[in-house]
Amino acid sequence: MVVCVHKEGDAGGQFCLKKAAVMLTLASKLKRDDGLKGSRASATASDSSRRVSVRDRLLVKEVAELEANLPCTCKVHFPDPNKLHCFQLTVTPDEGYYQGGKFQFETEVPDAYNMVAEASQSRELTAGRRGQPCSRRREVSCFIDTEPPKVKCLTRIWHPNITETGEICLSLLREHSIDGTGWAPTRTLKDVVWGLNSLFTDLLNFDDPLNIEAAEHHLRDKEDFRNKVEDYIKRYAR
């Protein structure tokens, strides 16, 4: 607050009045900015809640489809039945290098999972007659905001496409894949589970490895590679 006492006609009084006016203007602007920030924060929270709601509705259907079409070597477990976006998968291969092991995967489905949003805008077409408004057309566009599930292997494993710390190389889990087989809104949890299961059979890939050391080990000595895989199974995957 600014208080000035001056004689009538004193130039200093006019200066104080101007200063007070500036301070009031600044205070008003700060209050307005705070209101805008609050509105934006509220809008962000609302958008996040809407994303979660859309995701959860999708998952109810997808989980039912998944459980009805599980490979015989897979089991899914939901630690919290009310949180379908977090689940664990156990793969028990019945053939190949990894036969007899039990491999645990943790899957988390993000908020922006397979979300399709619709936006509209009006566009001027032609000017109307004098005194009449222009005609306008409503255009509708679809925006796809989608992220693949995040998956980590919890079991230590000697595998060319899975690191010992759990990172996984699987095309369909990539947002952008060079070979065109990456994540798309048409994919579902069933595709994720079948893809992970296939990492132990059809999709076992030594030519495009994530764990380069494991791939080179296989190239150098296949029998010794098998021995190390079996050793890891005995130690970590029973």
Side-chain angles (χ1 to χ4, degrees):
M1 182 175 185
V2 178
V3 179
C4 295
V5 179
H6 292 276
K7 294 180 181 179
E8 186 176 350
D10 193 345
Q14 295 179 3
F15 172 76
C16 281
L17 288 173
K18 290 179 180 178
K19 186 176 180 181
V22 169
M23 291 182 70
L24 286 171
T25 301
L26 286 172
S28 177
K29 182 179 184 303
L30 288 171
K31 186 175 181 181
R32 186 168 62 251
D33 288 348
D34 287 343
L36 286 172
K37 288 178 182 177
S39 297
R40 287 169 185 161
S42 177
T44 301
S46 176
D47 182 59
S48 177
S49 298
R50 184 175 63 84
R51 286 168 179 257
V52 169
S53 177
V54 171
R55 178 201 64 189
D56 290 351
R57 286 200 301 271
L58 282 172
L59 292 182
V60 170
K61 179 181 177 181
E62 289 192 16
V63 167
E65 180 190 29
L66 169 63
E67 292 181 329
N69 295 277
L70 270 178
C72 61
T73 52
C74 293
K75 290 183 179 180
V76 291
H77 170 64
F78 294 87
D80 185 342
N82 295 316
K83 294 180 179 179
L84 298 181
H85 62 284
C86 295
F87 67 92
Q88 293 177 350
L89 168 71
T90 301
V91 180
T92 309
D94 56 5
E95 61 178 306
Y97 286 116
Y98 302 93
Q99 183 176 5
K102 289 185 179 180
F103 302 94
Q104 305 280 341
F105 294 87
E106 184 177 67
T107 302
E108 182 176 350
V109 181
D111 295 352
Y113 175 74
N114 288 358
M115 179 174 291
V116 179
E118 189 179 271
S120 64
Q121 62 179 9
S122 295
R123 181 181 176 186
E124 271 191 16
L125 294 178
T126 56
R129 296 179 181 177
R130 184 177 299 176
Q132 294 181 351
C134 300
S135 59
R136 303 178 76 85
R137 181 175 66 190
R138 182 174 179 271
E139 295 184 341
V140 177
S141 302
C142 284
F143 298 90
I144 299 174
D145 185 10
T146 181
E147 291 180 28
K150 295 175 175 59
V151 185
K152 183 174 183 178
C153 183
L154 303 179
T155 306
R156 191 171 178 183
I157 185 174
W158 191 240
H159 193 293
N161 312 119
I162 305 174
T163 68
E164 290 188 75
T165 54
E167 289 77 18
I168 299 166
C169 179
L170 184 62
S171 291
L172 67 84
L173 293 177
R174 300 175 188 165
E175 284 191 65
H176 307 288
S177 180
I178 297 175
D179 59 8
T181 59
W183 188 254
T186 53
R187 297 193 182 279
T188 66
L189 293 183
K190 184 181 74 172
D191 298 315
V192 174
V193 168
W194 279 84
L196 292 170
N197 183 62
S198 296
L199 280 177
F200 299 97
T201 52
D202 305 358
L203 298 182
L204 180 61
N205 188 350
F206 293 97
D207 298 323
D208 183 21
L210 181 60
N211 184 341
I212 297 173
E213 189 179 351
E216 291 178 344
H217 187 188
H218 178 267
L219 181 64
R220 184 174 63 251
D221 190 334
K222 292 179 175 58
E223 191 58 35
D224 194 51
F225 173 84
R226 180 186 292 277
N227 290 337
K228 186 164 183 175
V229 167
E230 291 177 353
D231 179 56
Y232 269 46
I233 289 174
K234 290 175 183 175
R235 293 165 63 185
Y236 310 114
R238 291 298 189 190

